[in-house]
Amino acid sequence: MAAGLAYDLILIFWRIVINIFFREIRPRGAFNIPKEGPVLFICGPHANQFLDPLLVFSETRKESGRRVSMLTAAKSMQRKFIGAVARIMDGIPVARAADYAKAGKGRIVLSETDPLLITGINTAFTSQVKPRSQLVLPKSAAYASATVEEVISDTELRLKGEFVIPSKDGSANVKASTRVRSEGESKEGLEYKVLPHVEQDQTYGACFQRLKEGGCIGVFPEGGSHDRTDFLPLKAGFSIMALGAMAQYPDLDVKLVPVGLSYFHPHKFRSRAVVEFGPPQSVDRELVELYKQGGAKKREACGKLLEQVHDGLRAVTLRAPDWETMQVIQAARRLYRIPGQHLTLGQVVELSKRFMEGYLAYKDEPKIIDLRQKVLAYNRLLRDMGLADHQVERASSTSLKSALLLVYRTGLLLWWSMLALPGAILHAPIFILAKAISIQKAKEALAASTVKIQGRDVLATWKVLVSLAVTPLLYIFYCILATFLAYKYDLAPAWRHWTPVAIFVLLPGWAMATLKFGEAGMDVFKSLRPLFLSLWPGSLREVNKLRQMREALANEISEVIDEFGPKMYQNFQSARILPSATVPQTGRNPGMFVRKAQAPDSSVLSHPMLWLDERIFGWNRSASVGQSVWNTTKLDKNRSEPSTAPTSPAESDNEEEADVDYDDVLAIIDTRRAGPGSPRGRRRGRSYHDLTQLKSETSSSATSPVIDGVPLPAPDDEGSNRLHKRPGAGFKKDEDGDGVGLGLTGADTKEQKEKAQ
C-alpha cells in the first residue's frame, strides 16, 4: 500500500514535468491494455532516453489504472537521483555488457584464411578477454562485433562466429569479415573494446516473480536509446521473461503488449508525443514446451516469439530506412491534405505509417521513384524560400486582409513579447545551462556509443534533469535577493517577512504565464513570413511557382494512392483517410469583427493567440476541420484546391519543417457525436472505460453508426478503421532470400507470409 502510494506521488510529479516539456501527449489504443493479469509492455523505438519510460508509466496508469515496473540499466540505478527514483518506481535492475566495456590492449588483425581466428599485436588476451565476452571494433570498421569462443594465447583467440554489423534497416545482422580484414591490413591492426559476458539470472528471477504476482513490466528490447529512424536489432530478453515465467509457473498467462512511441522532435522543448498500445499478444503453449527442452529448442522458441512481437511493434511505430526517406514520407503526408483541414495527432501518426508501409512495398516502381524525386525538389525549394508547406497558400494570396493581418499580428507579437520578456529574462539561466549541458552530454554519449547518429536521444533527458536541479536553486537565489532588497529599502515589516514566501510561490506561476505567452508569440512570429512574402512584389512569382508545384504534387500523390492502395489493402476504400476538398464556412454572417464559431475550447488559457484571432478575424480550429477525413464525403477532382479560410498563426509550429499545431484540434468522431449544441463539449483524451464502451457500442450494431445522415466508420480510439492487407501485397524477398518483410507488419499472419512466398 505504502509502496503504491509512493509510486503514485512520484508519478504525479513526473506527469507535471513531462506535461511541461511536451506540448501534447496523445495515447492511442489504450483499450488494448489488459485490465488484469501479468503483462509485458514491449516498447520502442527507444528514442528519448529518460522520458520514454516516463511516458509509458504515465499513460498506462492514466488510461488503465495499472502500475508498470521498468527494466532499468544497473549503471543508471547507481546514480543518486535516477537510482532513487527508479527504486521508488519499482524498477528492476539489469546489467548491460556495454556499461562495463574496457579498451583492449594493443591491436588486432583478422586472419586471411580463417574468419574466426584473431591475431593480436602487443595484446594480452589471457588477462583481458574471457570466453563468451564480446569484441567491438571502432567506427572505421562500422562497430563490428563478435563473441569470443576460446582464448588460445596472449596474441591469439578464436571467435564463436564471424564479425557482424547491423543491416541498413536495423532488422538483422550482416557479416563483415571482409571489411574488418581490409581495415585491419590498411591500418596495421584495429583498436578494440572488450565487453564482458554478464549473467542475468537474478534479473530474470525478479521478472518471473513480478509476473507471477500479476504485475506489469516494461521493456525496451533494443537494449539502449538511440536516434536512428528504425529499430536496432531486438534483444531476446523479453522472450526469456515470458517463456521462462510460463515454464516455471504453468498456470500463468503472460500477455505481451507492443507500445509504439512516436515523437515530433523528441529532443525539443514543447514538442509532441504519441503513445500507441497495440493489441495484446498471447504466448503459444507450444513455444513454452519448446523452451523447456533447452538448447537449440529454447533458442528456437525465443526466436519465434521475438519475431512475433517484432511484427506487432512495427505495426504501432513509424520507421524508415534513413532520414531522407522519413522526410519524403512526412512531406507526402502533408501534401495529401490541404491547409485548413486538420487531423488529430494520432491520425497524423496513423497516416504517416500508412504512407511508409505503402512506400516500402512499392518503392521500386518507376512512378514512385519519380514522385520521390519531385517531393525532394519541393522540399528543397521550401527550404530555400524559408517557408513551411502549410504556409504556401497563405504566401500566394495577396489581399487587403493579408496586409491588415500582417499589421495586426506584428502588433500582437510585440505585445506578447513584452508580456513574456520579464519571465524569459528571469528564467534565462535555466534555458542556457540546460541547452549547454545537454549538448555536451550528447557529445559524450555519441563518443561512447556505437549506434547513435547525433546523440539526440539524450538531449531531452539532460534538459529535464538540469532544469530540475537548477530551477529550485535559482528560485532560492531570487528569494534571497528579494529579501535583501526588501530590508535594504526598509519595506514594511509584513512585506519583509513574507517576501521570500511570496517570491517562491509566484515564480512558478510567472514561469507558466511566460511559457504560454512566449509560445503564442513564437506561433505569431512564424506566421509573419508568408504574410510578408504575399505582399512583397518581387517574391510573388516564386511563391506562385511553389504553389503550382504543390498543387501538381498533391494531385499526383492522390492518383498514386488511388492506384496502389486497392492493390495493397482489401478494405482500402472503406478505411482510407481522405483529404477534404473544401473547408465550409461555419458562420452565418461573415465579417471581420463578427464571431463565426463557438468552439467548446475557445479559452484564452488554451492558446491566447487563437482566442484573439477567433474573436477578431473569426478563425477557429472548429471552422477549419471541414468535411470528415474519413471516406464519407464526395471529393472534388482537384484535391489541392486552396482553402478560403486564412490559416491560424498556430499552424506555423515547426514539425521539420512544419506541420500544424494540434493543441486544440477536435477528433472527427467526437465532433460528429457531440454536435454544435452538445453540453458534452470537448475532452482532451479518452479514458480506458470510454474507449471500451465506444468499441462495444460500435461492435454491437449490425451496421456502421449514422450521425446526421452520414455513416461513420467503425472507430478505434482515433476514429479510424484498420486497414487489412491483401495476402502477399507489397511482399518481396530481400537480398538474402528469406522474405523479411518489405511492407509486412503485425497485420500479416504467418500463413500470409508463407502464401506470399
Side-chain angles (χ1 to χ4, degrees), residues 83-162:
V85 172
R87 283 186 285 274
I88 293 175
M89 303 296 286
D90 210 13
I92 301 173
V94 55
R96 299 183 303 182
D99 292 335
Y100 305 99
K102 293 183 178 179
K105 181 181 178 182
R107 291 172 171 265
I108 59 175
V109 178
L110 187 61
S111 170
E112 295 183 2
T113 57
D114 188 350
L116 302 181
L117 186 63
I118 293 288
T119 302
I121 304 173
N122 299 323
T123 53
F125 289 154
T126 54
S127 60
Q128 280 196 317
V129 183
K130 304 294 181 185
R132 301 176 70 184
S133 60
Q134 236 184 355
L135 302 182
V136 179
L137 302 182
K139 186 176 181 179
S140 60
Y143 301 114
S145 61
T147 302
V148 176
E149 182 177 47
E150 178 187 5
V151 179
I152 301 173
S153 67
D154 270 342
T155 58
E156 197 173 34
L157 58 79
R158 180 167 292 280
L159 302 176
K160 187 175 182 179
E162 294 187 42

Side-chain angles (χ1 to χ4, degrees), residues 273-567:
V274 175
V275 183
E276 182 168 356
F277 299 90
Q281 301 182 14
S282 299
V283 180
D284 194 333
R285 290 290 175 181
E286 293 182 2
L287 295 182
V288 178
E289 295 303 319
L290 275 178
Y291 179 87
K292 289 180 180 179
Q293 297 178 31
K297 295 293 185 180
K298 177 179 177 179
R299 288 191 294 273
E300 180 185 352
C302 290
K304 287 183 177 179
L305 186 59
L306 186 148
E307 182 182 358
Q308 172 188 327
V309 175
H310 197 181
D311 286 343
L313 198 55
R314 285 181 174 275
V316 294
T317 53
L318 176 64
R319 311 154 322 281
D322 52 66
W323 282 108
E324 186 177 83
T325 300
M326 182 69 79
Q327 294 303 307
V328 168
I329 294 302
Q330 289 178 345
R333 185 256 302 157
R334 288 190 291 266
L335 287 165
Y336 185 56
R337 60 165 179 75
I338 60 173
Q341 179 211 329
H342 302 285
L343 304 177
T344 66
L345 193 59
Q347 289 165 349
V348 169
V349 173
E350 177 64 25
L351 188 57
S352 297
K353 288 192 295 185
R354 295 182 183 187
F355 267 78
M356 184 65 74
E357 189 175 33
Y359 172 80
L360 293 177
Y362 297 107
K363 64 180 181 179
D364 295 326
E365 294 285 337
K367 187 176 292 188
I368 302 299
I369 295 173
D370 179 61
L371 183 58
R372 175 190 172 103
Q373 296 305 315
K374 290 179 180 178
V375 172
L376 287 172
Y378 175 72
N379 270 348
R380 285 193 295 270
L381 191 54
L382 278 177
R383 187 169 57 249
D384 292 343
M385 296 196 67
L387 287 175
D389 173 69
H390 63 267
Q391 296 174 327
V392 173
E393 295 295 345
R394 177 72 268 169
S396 61
S397 175
T398 304
S399 65
L400 176 61
K401 201 167 189 178
S402 294
L404 293 175
L405 184 57
L406 179 60
V407 174
Y408 154 69
R409 287 186 180 172
T410 302
L412 220 48
L413 176 60
L414 295 175
W415 174 245
W416 293 140
S417 300
M418 287 189 292
L419 291 174
L421 187 59
I425 294 174
L426 286 175
H427 293 86
I430 302 174
F431 304 143
I432 295 171
L433 282 174
K435 184 170 184 179
I437 294 175
S438 64
I439 291 175
Q440 180 59 36
K441 291 295 183 180
K443 291 179 180 178
E444 294 175 5
L446 182 61
S449 173
T450 60
V451 298
K452 301 183 192 299
I453 298 175
Q454 293 180 310
R456 289 185 171 184
D457 55 302
V458 305
L459 286 174
T461 293
W462 282 102
K463 286 178 181 178
V464 170
L465 293 179
V466 171
S467 299
L468 290 175
V470 174
T471 300
L473 296 177
L474 186 66
Y475 284 6
I476 291 172
F477 170 75
Y478 286 146
C479 290
I480 295 173
L481 180 61
T483 305
F484 169 76
L485 293 175
Y487 277 92
K488 180 179 179 180
Y489 292 102
D490 197 24
L491 294 183
W495 285 98
R496 289 202 302 264
H497 295 330
W498 289 100
T499 294
V501 176
I503 293 297
F504 207 86
V505 170
L506 291 176
L507 278 174
W510 200 346
M512 286 304 299
T514 299
L515 181 65
K516 296 304 292 186
F517 288 130
E519 209 166 67
M522 284 304 297
D523 286 338
V524 178
F525 176 74
K526 294 173 187 177
S527 72
L528 295 182
R529 182 174 177 82
L531 291 172
F532 179 79
L533 289 176
S534 70
L535 299 172
W536 189 258
S539 63
L540 194 56
R541 180 178 177 182
E542 288 298 319
V543 172
N544 284 332
K545 175 184 175 182
L546 189 63
R547 180 180 60 80
Q548 293 169 5
M549 187 177 185
R550 187 189 192 284
E551 290 179 4
L553 272 176
N555 289 326
E556 188 171 350
I557 287 171
S558 294
E559 291 171 2
V560 166
I561 291 172
D562 289 341
E563 177 181 350
F564 290 101
K567 296 179 182 178

